[in-house]
Amino acid sequence: MPLPAAAERARQFGQETDVRKGRGAISNPKNRFEAAATSPFDDGWPIDASPLGAPLPTELIRDNSRSVISYNRSPDLGFDRSLNAYRGCEHGCIYCFARPTHAYLVYSAGTDFETKLLFKPDVARLLEAEIGKPGYVPRPIALGSNTDPYQPVERTLRLTRSVLEVLAKHHHPFTIVTKSSGILRDLDIIAPMAERRQARVYISLTTLDADLARRMEPRATAPSLRLQAMSHLAEAGVPVSVLAAPMIPGLNDSELESILAASARVGASHAGYVLLRLPLEVAKLFEDWIHAHYPDRARRVLNLIRETRGGSLNDSAFGDRFVGTGAFADLLRRRFAVASKKLGFADREDLDCSRFSRPHAAAGAQLSLL
């Protein structure tokens, strides 16, 4: 007979869940573009349960992309271009909306997304070539819009650092979104750029509960250290915003006001929030995760999510996908507005693009013989 879901299968063979140490997803579903699929089958032979909980190593894979700036026309985003030095993210956030992008790389959105990381070794050179093109018009580049630029592997590869060096050299404005206190390593670049109104940092803070954070985003920086990072950034004169994202109905939404208040106390000057999004494979991954880690509240959480998404687990419509619809979503929106006003969060200032200094020649371009 076919095996049951991952969590139930693990219980049958002596473990409560198929949870891997340091990983968020509890399964590795097939790539949605695969034509063939395999189906596990219980043939009655004993199964060694120990591998289920064994740590999964991280594999680094070279990405030979020929361009690094991605453009968008989304009305929901406050930027029109972004750069990601990595594909996949070792933080392992179970709710990550970027997980389905791994399918385009012939990998799974599950544990593959957390363990098979693609890195762009030539990202700095390619960036300099792109902003050096004659028709290039500078606008702020968003770092971390898809995967975290300061995930653990950045400590050794230093690709984000190389990107910031190029942007600083040519006075190109940028924003950074991260969950990592590792951003403080690059304060020597970020602070001078911020002084010229060319840099802004967003720290994503999902919860103040260390246990919930450890389960939900297992390799991200602890909440307390993210608050410390906000403090150091603010003291250095860097405009820092807090992103209470995502807010998950019935799981962490009750913390919204406390997250905003804690961030304001350490120097955050702006705030934002996003309602949980569960596109494509993420919906099933999150369902498995919530049943495995919080079985007592799983049904309520999933039902509340459906209330905010028109009866489904996801709604990708522009205008609604970040904030949801319905009574619960409206209440969350009002709570955020009231708390933000009370705490004195200001509107974001535009970054200065007027100082941009174009590279003399696109890096890597063939030089003229004359």
Side-chain angles (χ1 to χ4, degrees), residues 140-222:
I141 290 181
L143 309 182
S145 61
N146 205 45
T147 56
D148 202 303
Y150 288 100
Q151 57 180 291
V153 70
E154 169 63 17
R155 298 170 192 162
T156 53
L157 295 186
R158 300 172 68 87
L159 297 181
T160 298
R161 172 83 183 187
S162 70
V163 166
L164 293 181
E165 289 171 345
V166 170
L167 295 175
K169 176 182 176 182
H170 299 291
H171 306 287
H172 193 299
F174 60 86
T175 62
I176 300 174
V177 177
T178 184
K179 287 183 172 70
S180 176
S181 60
I183 190 174
L184 298 178
R185 179 201 65 187
D186 296 334
L187 202 52
D188 61 315
I189 298 177
I190 298 170
M193 290 289 282
E195 187 177 2
R196 297 190 292 269
R197 288 199 308 112
Q198 294 186 313
R200 180 185 299 119
V201 171
Y202 298 83
I203 300 294
S204 175
L205 185 58
T206 314
T207 178
L208 299 177
D209 183 334
D211 181 67
L212 175 57
R214 191 178 300 111
R215 295 167 184 255
M216 191 163 54
E217 33 197 43
R219 296 201 179 189
T221 297

Coordinates of all heavy atoms in Angstrom, one line a residue, residues 140-222:
P140 N 17.5 52.6 -7.5 CA 18.0 51.7 -6.4 C 17.9 50.2 -6.8 O 16.9 49.8 -7.3 CB 17.1 52.0 -5.2 CG 16.7 53.5 -5.5 CD 16.6 53.6 -7.0
I141 N 19.0 49.5 -6.5 CA 19.0 48.0 -6.7 C 18.7 47.3 -5.4 O 19.3 47.7 -4.3 CB 20.3 47.5 -7.2 CG1 20.6 48.0 -8.6 CG2 20.4 46.0 -7.1 CD1 21.9 47.6 -9.2
A142 N 17.7 46.4 -5.4 CA 17.3 45.7 -4.2 C 18.1 44.4 -4.0 O 18.1 43.6 -4.9 CB 15.8 45.4 -4.2
L143 N 18.8 44.3 -2.9 CA 19.6 43.1 -2.6 C 18.8 42.3 -1.6 O 18.4 42.8 -0.6 CB 21.0 43.4 -2.1 CG 21.9 44.4 -2.9 CD1 23.2 44.5 -2.2 CD2 22.0 43.9 -4.3
G144 N 18.6 41.0 -1.9 CA 17.8 40.2 -0.9 C 16.4 40.1 -1.2 O 15.6 39.7 -0.3
S145 N 15.9 40.4 -2.4 CA 14.5 40.4 -2.7 C 14.0 38.9 -2.9 O 12.8 38.7 -2.8 CB 14.2 41.2 -4.0 OG 15.0 40.6 -5.1
N146 N 14.9 38.0 -3.2 CA 14.6 36.6 -3.4 C 15.2 35.7 -2.4 O 14.5 34.9 -1.7 CB 15.0 36.2 -4.8 CG 14.1 35.1 -5.4 OD1 12.9 35.1 -5.2 ND2 14.8 34.1 -6.0
T147 N 16.5 35.7 -2.3 CA 17.2 34.9 -1.2 C 18.1 35.9 -0.4 O 18.5 36.9 -0.9 CB 18.0 33.8 -1.8 OG1 18.9 34.3 -2.8 CG2 17.1 32.8 -2.5
D148 N 18.4 35.5 0.8 CA 19.1 36.4 1.7 C 20.5 36.6 1.3 O 21.3 35.6 1.1 CB 19.1 35.8 3.1 CG 19.3 36.9 4.2 OD1 20.3 37.5 4.1 OD2 18.4 37.0 5.1
P149 N 21.0 37.8 1.1 CA 22.4 38.1 0.7 C 23.4 37.8 1.8 O 24.6 37.7 1.5 CB 22.3 39.6 0.4 CG 21.2 40.1 1.2 CD 20.2 39.1 1.2
Y150 N 22.9 37.6 3.0 CA 23.8 37.3 4.1 C 23.5 35.9 4.8 O 23.7 35.7 6.0 CB 23.8 38.4 5.2 CG 24.4 39.7 4.7 CD1 23.6 40.7 4.2 CD2 25.8 39.8 4.7 CE1 24.2 41.9 3.8 CE2 26.4 41.0 4.3 CZ 25.6 42.0 3.8 OH 26.2 43.2 3.3
Q151 N 23.1 35.0 3.9 CA 23.0 33.6 4.4 C 24.3 33.1 4.8 O 25.4 33.6 4.4 CB 22.2 32.7 3.4 CG 22.9 32.7 2.1 CD 22.1 31.8 1.1 OE1 22.1 30.6 1.3 NE2 21.5 32.4 0.1
P152 N 24.4 32.0 5.6 CA 25.7 31.6 6.1 C 26.9 31.5 5.1 O 28.0 31.8 5.5 CB 25.4 30.2 6.8 CG 24.0 30.4 7.2 CD 23.3 31.2 6.1
V153 N 26.6 31.0 3.9 CA 27.7 30.8 3.0 C 28.4 32.1 2.6 O 29.5 32.1 2.1 CB 27.1 30.1 1.7 CG1 26.2 31.0 0.9 CG2 28.3 29.6 0.8
E154 N 27.7 33.3 2.8 CA 28.3 34.5 2.5 C 29.6 34.8 3.3 O 30.5 35.6 2.9 CB 27.3 35.7 2.7 CG 27.8 37.1 2.6 CD 28.5 37.5 1.3 OE1 28.2 36.8 0.3 OE2 29.2 38.5 1.3
R155 N 29.7 34.2 4.5 CA 30.8 34.4 5.3 C 32.1 34.0 4.6 O 33.2 34.7 4.9 CB 30.7 33.6 6.6 CG 29.5 33.9 7.5 CD 29.3 32.9 8.6 NE 28.1 33.0 9.3 CZ 27.5 32.1 10.0 NH1 28.1 30.9 10.2 NH2 26.3 32.3 10.6
T156 N 32.1 33.0 3.8 CA 33.3 32.6 3.1 C 33.3 33.1 1.6 O 34.4 33.4 1.2 CB 33.4 31.1 3.1 OG1 32.2 30.5 2.6 CG2 33.6 30.6 4.5
L157 N 32.2 33.1 0.9 CA 32.2 33.5 -0.5 C 32.3 35.0 -0.7 O 32.9 35.4 -1.7 CB 31.0 32.9 -1.2 CG 30.9 31.4 -1.3 CD1 29.7 31.0 -2.2 CD2 32.2 30.8 -1.9
R158 N 31.7 35.8 0.2 CA 31.8 37.2 0.2 C 31.3 37.8 -1.1 O 31.8 38.9 -1.5 CB 33.3 37.6 0.5 CG 33.7 37.2 1.9 CD 35.2 37.4 2.1 NE 35.5 38.9 2.2 CZ 35.5 39.6 3.3 NH1 35.2 39.0 4.4 NH2 35.8 40.9 3.3
L159 N 30.3 37.2 -1.7 CA 29.8 37.8 -3.0 C 29.0 39.1 -2.8 O 29.1 40.0 -3.6 CB 29.0 36.7 -3.7 CG 29.7 35.4 -4.1 CD1 28.7 34.5 -4.8 CD2 30.9 35.8 -5.0
T160 N 28.2 39.1 -1.7 CA 27.5 40.3 -1.4 C 28.5 41.5 -1.1 O 28.2 42.6 -1.6 CB 26.6 40.1 -0.2 OG1 25.6 39.1 -0.5 CG2 25.8 41.4 0.2
R161 N 29.5 41.2 -0.4 CA 30.5 42.2 -0.2 C 31.1 42.7 -1.5 O 31.3 43.9 -1.7 CB 31.7 41.6 0.6 CG 32.9 42.5 0.8 CD 32.7 43.4 2.0 NE 33.9 44.3 2.1 CZ 34.0 45.2 3.1 NH1 33.1 45.3 4.0 NH2 35.0 46.0 3.2
S162 N 31.4 41.9 -2.5 CA 31.9 42.3 -3.7 C 30.9 43.2 -4.5 O 31.3 44.1 -5.2 CB 32.3 41.1 -4.6 OG 31.2 40.4 -5.0
V163 N 29.6 42.9 -4.4 CA 28.6 43.7 -5.0 C 28.5 45.1 -4.4 O 28.5 46.1 -5.1 CB 27.2 43.0 -4.9 CG1 26.1 43.9 -5.2 CG2 27.1 41.7 -5.7
L164 N 28.6 45.1 -3.1 CA 28.5 46.4 -2.4 C 29.8 47.3 -2.8 O 29.7 48.5 -2.9 CB 28.5 46.2 -0.9 CG 27.2 45.6 -0.3 CD1 27.3 45.5 1.2 CD2 26.0 46.4 -0.7
E165 N 30.9 46.7 -3.0 CA 32.1 47.4 -3.3 C 31.9 48.1 -4.7 O 32.3 49.2 -4.9 CB 33.3 46.5 -3.3 CG 33.7 46.0 -2.0 CD 34.8 44.9 -2.0 OE1 35.0 44.3 -3.0 OE2 35.4 44.7 -0.9
V166 N 31.3 47.3 -5.6 CA 31.0 47.9 -7.0 C 30.0 49.1 -6.9 O 30.2 50.1 -7.5 CB 30.5 46.8 -7.9 CG1 30.0 47.5 -9.2 CG2 31.6 45.8 -8.2
L167 N 28.9 48.8 -6.1 CA 27.9 49.9 -6.0 C 28.5 51.1 -5.3 O 28.2 52.3 -5.7 CB 26.7 49.3 -5.2 CG 26.0 48.2 -5.9 CD1 24.9 47.6 -4.9 CD2 25.3 48.7 -7.2
A168 N 29.3 50.9 -4.3 CA 29.9 52.1 -3.6 C 30.9 52.8 -4.5 O 30.9 54.1 -4.5 CB 30.6 51.6 -2.3
K169 N 31.6 52.1 -5.3 CA 32.6 52.7 -6.2 C 32.0 53.6 -7.2 O 32.5 54.7 -7.5 CB 33.4 51.6 -6.9 CG 34.4 52.0 -8.0 CD 35.0 50.8 -8.6 CE 36.0 51.2 -9.8 NZ 36.6 50.0 -10.4
H170 N 30.8 53.3 -7.6 CA 30.1 54.1 -8.6 C 28.9 54.8 -8.1 O 28.1 55.3 -8.9 CB 29.7 53.1 -9.8 CG 30.8 52.5 -10.5 ND1 31.7 53.1 -11.2 CD2 31.2 51.1 -10.4 CE1 32.7 52.3 -11.7 NE2 32.4 51.1 -11.2
H171 N 28.8 54.9 -6.8 CA 27.8 55.7 -6.1 C 26.4 55.3 -6.6 O 25.6 56.2 -6.9 CB 28.0 57.2 -6.4 CG 29.4 57.7 -6.0 ND1 29.8 57.9 -4.6 CD2 30.5 58.0 -6.7 CE1 31.0 58.3 -4.6 NE2 31.5 58.4 -5.8
H172 N 26.2 54.1 -6.6 CA 24.9 53.5 -7.1 C 24.0 53.2 -5.8 O 24.5 52.4 -5.0 CB 25.1 52.3 -7.9 CG 23.8 51.9 -8.7 ND1 22.7 51.5 -8.1 CD2 23.6 51.8 -10.0 CE1 21.8 51.2 -9.0 NE2 22.3 51.4 -10.2
P173 N 22.8 53.7 -5.7 CA 22.0 53.4 -4.5 C 21.5 52.0 -4.4 O 21.3 51.4 -5.5 CB 20.9 54.4 -4.6 CG 20.8 54.7 -6.1 CD 22.2 54.7 -6.6
F174 N 21.3 51.5 -3.2 CA 20.8 50.1 -3.0 C 20.0 50.0 -1.7 O 20.2 50.9 -0.8 CB 22.0 49.2 -3.0 CG 23.0 49.4 -1.9 CD1 22.8 48.9 -0.6 CD2 24.1 50.2 -2.1 CE1 23.7 49.2 0.4 CE2 25.1 50.5 -1.1 CZ 24.8 49.9 0.2
T175 N 19.2 49.0 -1.7 CA 18.6 48.6 -0.5 C 18.9 47.1 -0.2 O 19.3 46.4 -1.1 CB 17.0 48.7 -0.6 OG1 16.6 47.8 -1.6 CG2 16.6 50.1 -0.9
I176 N 18.9 46.8 1.1 CA 19.2 45.4 1.5 C 18.1 44.9 2.4 O 17.7 45.6 3.3 CB 20.5 45.3 2.3 CG1 21.7 45.8 1.4 CG2 20.8 43.9 2.7 CD1 23.0 45.9 2.2
V177 N 17.6 43.7 2.1 CA 16.7 43.0 3.0 C 17.4 41.7 3.5 O 17.9 40.9 2.7 CB 15.4 42.5 2.3 CG1 14.5 41.8 3.2 CG2 14.7 43.8 1.7
T178 N 17.4 41.5 4.8 CA 18.1 40.4 5.4 C 17.5 40.0 6.8 O 16.9 40.8 7.4 CB 19.6 40.7 5.6 OG1 20.3 39.5 6.0 CG2 19.9 41.8 6.5
K179 N 17.8 38.7 7.1 CA 17.5 38.3 8.5 C 18.7 38.1 9.3 O 18.7 37.6 10.4 CB 16.8 36.9 8.4 CG 15.3 36.9 7.9 CD 14.7 35.5 7.9 CE 13.3 35.5 7.7 NZ 13.0 35.9 6.3
S180 N 19.9 38.5 8.7 CA 21.2 38.1 9.3 C 21.9 39.3 9.9 O 22.0 40.4 9.3 CB 22.1 37.5 8.3 OG 23.3 37.2 8.8
S181 N 22.5 39.1 11.1 CA 23.3 40.1 11.7 C 24.7 40.2 11.0 O 25.5 41.1 11.3 CB 23.5 39.8 13.2 OG 24.2 38.6 13.4
G182 N 24.9 39.3 10.1 CA 26.1 39.3 9.3 C 26.3 40.6 8.5 O 27.4 40.9 8.0
I183 N 25.2 41.3 8.3 CA 25.3 42.6 7.6 C 26.2 43.5 8.2 O 26.8 44.4 7.5 CB 23.9 43.2 7.4 CG1 23.9 44.3 6.4 CG2 23.3 43.6 8.8 CD1 22.5 44.9 6.1
L184 N 26.4 43.4 9.5 CA 27.3 44.4 10.2 C 28.7 44.3 9.8 O 29.5 45.2 9.9 CB 27.2 44.1 11.7 CG 25.8 44.3 12.4 CD1 25.9 43.9 13.9 CD2 25.3 45.7 12.2
R185 N 29.1 43.2 9.2 CA 30.5 43.0 8.6 C 30.7 44.1 7.6 O 31.9 44.6 7.4 CB 30.6 41.7 8.0 CG 32.0 41.4 7.3 CD 31.9 40.3 6.3 NE 31.1 40.6 5.2 CZ 30.7 39.8 4.2 NH1 31.1 38.5 4.3 NH2 30.0 40.2 3.2
D186 N 29.7 44.5 6.8 CA 29.9 45.5 5.7 C 29.4 46.9 6.1 O 29.2 47.7 5.2 CB 29.1 45.0 4.5 CG 29.6 43.6 4.0 OD1 30.8 43.4 4.2 OD2 28.8 42.9 3.4
L187 N 29.4 47.1 7.4 CA 29.0 48.5 7.8 C 30.0 49.6 7.3 O 29.6 50.7 7.1 CB 28.9 48.5 9.3 CG 28.1 49.6 10.0 CD1 26.7 49.6 9.4 CD2 28.0 49.4 11.5
D188 N 31.2 49.2 7.0 CA 32.2 50.2 6.5 C 31.8 50.7 5.1 O 32.2 51.8 4.7 CB 33.6 49.6 6.5 CG 33.7 48.4 5.6 OD1 32.8 47.5 5.7 OD2 34.7 48.3 4.9
I189 N 31.1 49.9 4.4 CA 30.6 50.3 3.1 C 29.2 50.9 3.2 O 28.9 52.0 2.6 CB 30.5 49.1 2.1 CG1 31.9 48.5 1.9 CG2 29.9 49.5 0.8 CD1 31.9 47.3 1.0
I190 N 28.3 50.3 4.0 CA 26.9 50.7 4.0 C 26.8 52.1 4.7 O 26.0 52.9 4.2 CB 26.1 49.7 4.8 CG1 26.2 48.3 4.0 CG2 24.7 50.1 4.9 CD1 25.6 47.2 4.8
A191 N 27.5 52.3 5.8 CA 27.3 53.6 6.5 C 27.7 54.8 5.7 O 26.9 55.8 5.6 CB 28.1 53.6 7.8
P192 N 28.8 54.9 5.0 CA 29.1 56.0 4.1 C 28.1 56.2 3.0 O 27.8 57.4 2.6 CB 30.5 55.7 3.6 CG 31.1 54.8 4.6 CD 30.0 53.9 5.0
M193 N 27.6 55.1 2.5 CA 26.6 55.2 1.4 C 25.3 55.8 2.0 O 24.6 56.6 1.4 CB 26.4 53.9 0.8 CG 27.5 53.3 -0.1 SD 27.7 54.3 -1.6 CE 26.4 53.6 -2.6
A194 N 25.0 55.4 3.2 CA 23.7 55.9 3.8 C 23.9 57.4 4.1 O 22.9 58.1 4.0 CB 23.5 55.1 5.1
E195 N 25.1 57.8 4.5 CA 25.3 59.2 4.8 C 25.0 60.1 3.5 O 24.6 61.2 3.6 CB 26.7 59.4 5.3 CG 27.0 60.9 5.7 CD 28.4 61.0 6.3 OE1 29.2 60.0 6.2 OE2 28.7 62.1 6.7
R196 N 25.2 59.5 2.4 CA 24.9 60.2 1.1 C 23.5 59.9 0.6 O 23.2 60.1 -0.6 CB 26.0 59.8 0.1 CG 27.4 60.2 0.4 CD 28.4 60.0 -0.8 NE 28.6 58.6 -1.1 CZ 29.5 57.9 -0.6 NH1 30.4 58.4 0.3 NH2 29.7 56.6 -1.0
R197 N 22.7 59.3 1.4 CA 21.3 58.9 1.0 C 21.3 57.9 -0.1 O 20.5 58.1 -1.1 CB 20.5 60.1 0.7 CG 20.1 61.0 1.9 CD 18.9 61.9 1.6 NE 19.0 62.7 0.4 CZ 18.3 62.6 -0.7 NH1 17.4 61.6 -0.8 NH2 18.5 63.4 -1.7
Q198 N 22.2 56.9 -0.1 CA 22.3 56.0 -1.1 C 22.1 54.5 -0.6 O 22.4 53.6 -1.4 CB 23.6 56.1 -1.9 CG 23.7 57.4 -2.7 CD 24.9 57.5 -3.5 OE1 26.0 57.2 -3.1 NE2 24.8 57.9 -4.8
A199 N 21.7 54.4 0.6 CA 21.6 53.0 1.2 C 20.5 53.0 2.2 O 20.3 53.9 3.0 CB 22.9 52.5 1.8
R200 N 19.8 51.9 2.3 CA 18.7 51.7 3.3 C 18.7 50.2 3.6 O 18.9 49.4 2.6 CB 17.4 52.1 2.8 CG 16.2 51.9 3.8 CD 14.9 52.3 3.3 NE 14.8 53.7 2.9 CZ 14.6 54.1 1.6 NH1 14.4 53.2 0.7 NH2 14.5 55.4 1.4
V201 N 18.5 49.8 4.8 CA 18.5 48.4 5.2 C 17.1 48.0 5.8 O 16.5 48.8 6.6 CB 19.6 48.1 6.3 CG1 19.4 46.7 6.8 CG2 21.0 48.3 5.6
Y202 N 16.6 46.8 5.4 CA 15.4 46.3 6.0 C 15.8 45.0 6.7 O 16.4 44.1 6.1 CB 14.4 45.9 4.9 CG 13.9 47.1 4.1 CD1 14.7 47.6 3.0 CD2 12.7 47.8 4.4 CE1 14.3 48.7 2.3 CE2 12.3 48.8 3.6 CZ 13.1 49.3 2.6 OH 12.7 50.4 1.8
I203 N 15.4 44.9 8.0 CA 15.7 43.7 8.8 C 14.3 43.0 8.9 O 13.4 43.5 9.4 CB 16.2 44.0 10.2 CG1 17.6 44.7 10.1 CG2 16.4 42.7 11.0 CD1 18.7 43.9 9.5
S204 N 14.3 41.7 8.4 CA 13.1 40.9 8.5 C 13.0 40.3 9.9 O 13.9 39.5 10.3 CB 13.0 39.9 7.4 OG 11.9 39.0 7.6
L205 N 12.0 40.6 10.7 CA 11.8 40.0 12.0 C 10.4 39.4 12.1 O 9.4 40.1 12.2 CB 12.0 41.2 13.1 CG 12.0 40.8 14.5 CD1 13.1 39.7 14.8 CD2 12.2 42.0 15.4
T206 N 10.4 38.1 12.1 CA 9.1 37.4 12.0 C 8.5 37.1 13.4 O 7.3 37.0 13.5 CB 9.4 36.0 11.3 OG1 10.1 36.3 10.2 CG2 8.1 35.4 10.9
T207 N 9.3 37.0 14.4 CA 8.9 36.6 15.7 C 9.9 37.1 16.8 O 11.1 37.2 16.4 CB 8.6 35.1 15.9 OG1 8.2 34.8 17.2 CG2 9.8 34.3 15.5
L208 N 9.5 37.2 18.0 CA 10.5 37.5 19.1 C 10.7 36.2 19.9 O 11.5 36.2 20.8 CB 9.9 38.6 20.0 CG 9.7 39.9 19.4 CD1 9.1 40.9 20.4 CD2 11.0 40.5 18.8
D209 N 10.0 35.1 19.5 CA 10.0 33.8 20.2 C 11.2 33.0 19.6 O 11.1 32.6 18.4 CB 8.7 33.1 20.0 CG 8.6 31.8 20.8 OD1 9.7 31.2 21.0 OD2 7.5 31.4 21.1
A210 N 12.2 32.8 20.4 CA 13.4 32.1 19.8 C 13.0 30.7 19.4 O 13.6 30.1 18.4 CB 14.5 32.1 20.9
D211 N 12.1 30.0 20.1 CA 11.8 28.6 19.8 C 11.0 28.6 18.5 O 11.3 27.7 17.6 CB 11.0 28.0 20.9 CG 10.6 26.5 20.6 OD1 11.5 25.7 20.5 OD2 9.4 26.2 20.3
L212 N 10.1 29.4 18.3 CA 9.3 29.5 17.0 C 10.3 29.8 15.9 O 10.2 29.2 14.8 CB 8.2 30.5 17.1 CG 7.4 30.8 15.8 CD1 6.8 29.5 15.3 CD2 6.4 31.9 16.1
A213 N 11.2 30.8 16.1 CA 12.1 31.2 15.0 C 13.0 30.0 14.6 O 13.3 29.8 13.5 CB 13.0 32.3 15.5
R214 N 13.4 29.2 15.6 CA 14.3 28.1 15.4 C 13.6 27.0 14.5 O 14.2 26.4 13.7 CB 14.8 27.5 16.7 CG 15.9 26.5 16.6 CD 16.3 25.9 17.9 NE 16.8 27.0 18.8 CZ 16.2 27.4 19.9 NH1 15.0 26.9 20.2 NH2 16.7 28.4 20.6
R215 N 12.3 26.9 14.7 CA 11.6 25.9 13.9 C 11.2 26.4 12.5 O 11.2 25.7 11.6 CB 10.3 25.5 14.7 CG 10.4 24.8 16.0 CD 9.1 24.8 16.8 NE 9.3 24.2 18.1 CZ 8.9 23.0 18.4 NH1 8.3 22.2 17.5 NH2 9.0 22.5 19.6
M216 N 10.9 27.7 12.5 CA 10.4 28.3 11.3 C 11.4 28.8 10.3 O 11.3 28.7 9.1 CB 9.5 29.5 11.7 CG 8.6 30.0 10.6 SD 7.3 31.1 11.2 CE 8.1 32.3 12.3
E217 N 12.6 29.2 10.8 CA 13.7 29.7 10.0 C 15.0 29.2 10.7 O 15.7 30.0 11.3 CB 13.6 31.2 9.9 CG 13.0 31.9 11.2 CD 12.5 33.3 11.0 OE1 11.9 33.6 10.0 OE2 12.8 34.1 11.9
P218 N 15.3 27.9 10.6 CA 16.3 27.3 11.4 C 17.7 27.8 11.4 O 18.4 27.7 12.3 CB 16.2 25.8 11.0 CG 15.6 25.8 9.6 CD 14.6 27.0 9.7
R219 N 18.1 28.4 10.2 CA 19.5 28.8 10.2 C 19.6 30.3 10.1 O 20.7 30.9 9.7 CB 20.3 28.1 9.0 CG 20.4 26.6 9.2 CD 21.5 26.0 8.4 NE 21.5 24.6 8.6 CZ 22.5 23.8 8.2 NH1 23.5 24.3 7.5 NH2 22.5 22.5 8.5
A220 N 18.6 31.0 10.3 CA 18.6 32.5 10.3 C 19.1 33.0 11.7 O 19.0 32.2 12.7 CB 17.2 33.1 10.0
T221 N 19.5 34.2 11.8 CA 20.0 34.8 13.0 C 18.9 34.9 14.0 O 17.7 35.1 13.7 CB 20.5 36.2 12.7 OG1 21.7 36.1 11.9 CG2 20.9 36.9 14.0
A222 N 19.2 34.6 15.3 CA 18.2 34.7 16.4 C 17.5 36.0 16.4 O 18.2 37.0 16.1 CB 18.8 34.3 17.7

